[in-house]
Amino acid sequence: DTGVSQDPRHKITKRGQNVTFRCDPISEHNRLYWYRQTLGQGPEFLTYFQNEAQLEKSRLLSDRFSAERPKGSFSTLEIQRTEQGDSAMYLCASSLDYQETQYFGPGTRLLVL
Amino acid sequence: GEDVEQSLFLSVREGDSSVINCTYTDSSSTYLYWYKQEPGAGLQLLTYIFSNMDMKQDQRLTVLLNKKDKHLSLRIADTQTGDSAIYFCAERSNFNKFYFGSGTKLNVKP
């Protein structure tokens, strides 16, 4: 078991560009979560999947954000037309159905210039 | 969303006990968690407690839950410099959503 992995670990982009992040959950974990963490704050829930179904989306997830999990394994989070306010750490976590705990990946740190 | 609050900073000397406190608002929380985050890293699960328990001990860690006051604490015995990090309290609601506090930065002085 290799844990949750995320790619890339760091991304610097210019305002207006699109970016895509990938998360590979722990194998056989059917729930996958995306969070955003800004400096000095705890993670804020963005969205979560059970298998390939996106079950819930936060109001934080504007129409510039889209997440997919096409085969119920890895997931991608895309941000279109990035803004400076999108600069943050994007964290992915996974868990088994009804498991008590989530396991987090190392995060992707995004800087929008 | 739900409100989870923590004090921002705690400074202790190596070998002392650390107590990090947290309050939450959702009375339907099923599980409460403590996570540790070191600089530039993701969150590491330390321990968790089911909402019908009062206390849980795991080696140097003791979690106390006062459900009536919606107060959670984490005690670290014999604190070491390697314990310096940010500690997050989190609650899991009935709808399987997780809400995190802003984190308590623990500084351990040698």
Side-chain angles (χ1 to χ4, degrees):
Chain A
D1 190 344
T2 57
V4 179
S5 61
Q6 292 186 245
D7 183 68
R9 294 291 309 275
H10 305 272
K11 179 71 177 178
I12 300 174
T13 191
K14 291 183 181 177
R15 189 162 53 93
Q17 298 293 304
N18 299 344
V19 294
T20 300
F21 310 141
R22 176 178 169 129
C23 170
D24 286 87
I26 294 171
S27 61
E28 297 179 0
H29 277 195
N30 52 355
R31 288 187 184 232
L32 186 148
Y33 301 78
W34 284 100
Y35 292 86
R36 182 174 69 185
Q37 186 180 23
T38 52
L39 203 61
Q41 298 297 315
E44 295 173 291
F45 170 81
L46 291 178
T47 188
Y48 92 92
F49 293 84
Q50 180 159 329
N51 300 312
E52 63 273 11
Q54 189 173 15
L55 294 187
E56 191 155 355
K57 290 166 51 170
S58 162
R59 285 168 298 181
L60 293 174
L61 216 65
S62 76
D63 56 7
R64 295 184 299 106
F65 288 69
S66 62
E68 293 183 344
R69 195 182 183 199
K71 296 179 182 177
S73 56
F74 73 91
S75 175
T76 57
L77 177 69
E78 182 183 15
I79 310 174
Q80 295 183 324
R81 304 182 303 281
T82 51
E83 301 173 356
Q84 286 182 323
D86 297 331
S87 296
M89 173 84 90
Y90 290 84
L91 293 164
C92 175
S94 71
S95 70
L96 284 168
D97 243 346
Y98 303 111
Q99 190 186 40
E100 299 87 0
T101 57
Q102 294 185 339
Y103 296 89
F104 280 82
T108 295
R109 186 171 291 284
L110 172 66
L111 178 61
V112 182
L113 301 176
Chain B
E2 306 304 332
D3 219 1
V4 180
E5 302 218 345
Q6 303 177 235
S7 52
L8 291 181
F9 299 102
L10 177 65
S11 184
V12 299
R13 291 208 173 275
E14 192 173 20
D16 288 350
S17 292
S18 308
V19 179
I20 303 171
N21 294 299
C22 169
T23 57
Y24 60 98
T25 57
D26 185 359
S27 56
S28 68
S29 293
T30 54
Y31 289 89
L32 295 122
Y33 303 82
W34 286 103
Y35 284 86
K36 176 183 180 183
Q37 187 176 37
E38 296 183 74
L43 276 71
Q44 174 196 348
L45 176 67
L46 289 178
T47 187
Y48 63 93
I49 188 168
F50 186 47
S51 57
N52 70 352
M53 296 170 64
D54 298 324
M55 186 181 89
K56 181 178 180 181
Q57 188 152 2
D58 185 358
Q59 299 182 340
R60 292 191 297 124
L61 305 178
T62 302
V63 178
L64 294 178
L65 175 60
N66 181 327
K67 197 172 179 183
K68 174 176 168 287
D69 293 340
K70 299 190 186 70
H71 183 267
L72 183 74
S73 68
L74 174 69
R75 178 177 180 268
I76 306 173
D78 186 26
T79 315
Q80 303 297 305
T81 53
D83 295 323
S84 293
I86 301 176
Y87 290 79
F88 290 95
C89 166
E91 61 171 348
R92 175 185 165 192
S93 73
N94 271 334
F95 301 100
N96 204 48
K97 289 179 70 172
F98 288 71
Y99 298 95
F100 288 80
S102 297
T104 299
K105 186 171 185 178
L106 175 64
N107 179 43
V108 182
K109 294 179 280 191

